[in-house]
Amino acid sequence: MDYPKSVPSVGLLNGKFVDENPVTGQVGSLISSDWGNAVTDELLNVIRAGGEEPAEAEHDQLLAAIKAIVRDSIPPEKIRTTLAEYGITDAYTKSVTYTKAEIEALLKNMSALPVGAMVPFPKGTVPAGFLEVDGSVQSAATYPDLAAYLGTTFNTGGEGAGNFRLPESRGEFLRGWDHGRGVDVGRALGSYQAHAVGSHQHPMNYWAWRDGTGTGTHNYAKPWGDTGITGVKDPGTGANAGDSETRPRNLAVMWCIKAWNAPVNQGNIDISGLAANVSALEARPRGLGDGQAWQNVTASRVSGTVYTNTTGRPIQVQASITTGAVTATCGGVAVATSAYHASFVVPVGATYSVTFGSPVNPVWSELRA
C-alpha cells in the first residue's frame, strides 16, 4: 500500500495529496478509482479479518480489528500440570501422589544437622541418617559426604582402599578440645586420652603407746616429739577401696554421627530403579518450546493437505500470507479462518491442515524438534 505515485494525473506534490488553492493556482490532487478502491478493500479486509462487519458510520472498527488479530495470534495459555512445564526441572518427583503419612515420614527424617555432627541418643536404636560412633570401618562410596568430612583422622591401618574408620565413643567421655587454652595441652583434635588421677597427697597419723606395748621394730619418727614414746603400732595398708576407674556420676547414651542428609539411605541405591526413573524423567511431558525450534516448512507443505503430528510432542503451526485467506483445522475441527494469518497448537498424534485461498507470499512455519 502506498500513494499512487505511478499515476501522473493524480497530481501529487512531493509524493503526497494536496488541496486546490485558487490564490496560488495550485491544482488539487485527483484520486483514481482504482487506487481508492484498492485502499478501501485493503482496509475492509483487515476489519473483516478481525471479526468485524464493516459499517460506514463506525470509525473505530480498524483499531478493534487489529487488536483482535493480535490477540488471536498469541497461542492460548497451556494448562500446566507438571513442575517441568513451569521450567522447574531439578525438583524431586514421584510417579504417584505423596500421602500425608509419607510426607510426615520424609519430614521426620530430614535434618538441618550437617554431616559429621555427633548427637547422643538415650536409646539403642540408630536413627535414619546416622551411624553409631563405634570405631567401625565404613565405605567411602556408601557415605561419601561423611568420608569427605572425617578423612583418615581416625584410621588405624588395615581399613582397606576406599574405606574410613569412625571414631570410638563407646564407654568414653567427650572432652572439649583445648585449642590453645592451655588446660589440656599437647592434645590433637580427635585423639584419645587414658584415665588419670590428679597429683595429690594422703597424710597419715600414727598411734603410739607410752607403755611400749606396740609390737615389732619400727623406725618411725615419733609424731608428737614425745621422747617418752617407746613403741609405735603400724595400722597397715588395709584392703583396696573404690572401683576400677575414677569417674563422675553419669548417664549412659549412644553417640551417633550424622552420616547423610538425604531422606533415605543414599548407601542403598537401586541402580536399575534409578535408571528407570531417569528414563521416566526423559519421557515426561515437556512444555511447548522446550527443546524445539521454529522451522520454515513452506517448501514441504501443500495447501489443504492433512498432516499428522508424529513428533511425540505438541507442536505449534503458524501460517501467513500478504493477500488472500487462511483456513486451519486441527483434529478435524476448524481452529482459524483469517485473511492473513493463522496460528494454533497441534497435540501429539493429532491431524492438522492449512488451506490458503488465492495466496500471495505464503509462509508456513512450525515450532518443533
Side-chain angles (χ1 to χ4, degrees), residues 70-91:
V70 172
R71 182 179 62 249
D72 292 342
S73 68
I74 300 175
E77 175 65 17
K78 183 180 184 298
I79 298 177
R80 300 172 182 177
T81 58
T82 65
L83 292 177
E85 290 176 322
Y86 285 93
I88 302 174
T89 58
D90 57 351

Side-chain angles (χ1 to χ4, degrees), residues 199-249:
S199 177
H200 63 285
Q201 293 181 342
H202 291 281
M204 179 181 289
N205 290 327
Y206 297 95
W207 292 269
W209 287 262
R210 290 180 183 275
D211 59 1
T213 59
T215 61
T217 301
H218 303 280
N219 295 319
Y220 301 127
K222 297 178 174 60
W224 300 293
D226 188 343
T227 57
I229 297 176
T230 58
V232 177
K233 175 69 174 178
D234 185 354
T237 57
N240 291 336
D243 210 330
S244 60
E245 62 180 358
T246 302
R247 60 174 178 267
R249 293 177 59 180

Side-chain angles (χ1 to χ4, degrees), residues 6-321:
S6 62
V7 184
S9 61
V10 170
L12 300 178
L13 181 62
N14 296 325
K16 295 190 175 183
F17 297 113
V18 294
D19 293 327
E20 180 181 359
N21 190 334
V23 177
T24 63
Q26 172 66 53
V27 178
S29 301
L30 300 177
I31 299 177
S32 66
S33 60
D34 289 343
W35 187 88
N37 291 335
V39 170
T40 303
D41 286 341
E42 186 163 351
L43 294 176
L44 292 177
N45 283 338
V46 175
I47 292 174
R48 291 190 181 97
E52 299 280 340
E53 184 63 32
E56 187 175 352
E58 300 292 334
H59 303 289
D60 59 352
Q61 288 186 299
L62 181 61
L63 176 60
I66 293 174
K67 289 181 177 179
I69 292 171
V70 172
R71 182 179 62 249
D72 292 342
S73 68
I74 300 175
E77 175 65 17
K78 183 180 184 298
I79 298 177
R80 300 172 182 177
T81 58
T82 65
L83 292 177
E85 290 176 322
Y86 285 93
I88 302 174
T89 58
D90 57 351
Y92 285 105
T93 60
K94 188 179 178 183
S95 58
V96 297
T97 303
Y98 283 107
T99 64
K100 179 175 181 292
E102 287 177 315
I103 293 176
E104 290 176 346
L106 289 174
L107 293 176
K108 182 176 66 175
N109 290 331
M110 294 176 66
S111 171
L113 287 175
V115 169
M118 288 177 54
V119 180
F121 290 95
K123 297 189 67 175
T125 302
V126 179
F130 289 84
L131 293 172
E132 183 182 2
V133 184
D134 58 0
S136 61
V137 176
Q138 302 293 336
S139 167
T142 303
Y143 307 108
D145 295 338
L146 183 59
Y149 178 74
L150 293 180
T152 60
T153 302
F154 299 97
N155 285 13
T156 59
E159 286 79 14
N163 296 325
F164 67 101
R165 188 179 296 276
L166 299 179
E168 175 63 272
S169 70
R170 295 172 299 176
E172 304 288 352
F173 289 98
L174 302 187
R175 180 174 187 173
W177 181 33
D178 185 277
H179 204 187
R181 182 185 178 190
V183 175
D184 187 25
V185 297
R187 294 288 302 283
L189 190 62
S191 63
Y192 291 99
Q193 187 180 59
H195 64 82
V197 177
S199 177
H200 63 285
Q201 293 181 342
H202 291 281
M204 179 181 289
N205 290 327
Y206 297 95
W207 292 269
W209 287 262
R210 290 180 183 275
D211 59 1
T213 59
T215 61
T217 301
H218 303 280
N219 295 319
Y220 301 127
K222 297 178 174 60
W224 300 293
D226 188 343
T227 57
I229 297 176
T230 58
V232 177
K233 175 69 174 178
D234 185 354
T237 57
N240 291 336
D243 210 330
S244 60
E245 62 180 358
T246 302
R247 60 174 178 267
R249 293 177 59 180
N250 59 82
L251 171 69
V253 296
M254 180 176 64
W255 283 95
C256 294
I257 189 168
K258 186 69 173 172
W260 68 89
N261 275 326
V264 294
N265 189 345
Q266 66 181 24
N268 298 331
I269 297 178
D270 183 346
I271 300 300
S272 60
L274 179 61
N277 289 339
V278 172
S279 298
L281 288 174
E282 290 297 326
R284 74 193 188 282
R286 301 169 68 182
L288 187 64
D290 182 6
Q292 297 174 311
W294 280 107
Q295 301 179 31
N296 189 324
V297 296
T298 306
S300 61
R301 296 291 185 264
V302 178
S303 173
T305 300
V306 177
Y307 298 94
T308 302
N309 177 12
T310 59
T311 65
R313 298 272 306 281
I315 65 173
Q316 182 172 343
V317 177
Q318 185 163 298
S320 64
I321 54 177

Side-chain angles (χ1 to χ4, degrees), residues 333-348:
V333 178
V335 295
T337 298
S338 174
Y340 299 99
H341 176 268
S343 180
F344 57 98
V345 175
V346 183
V348 177

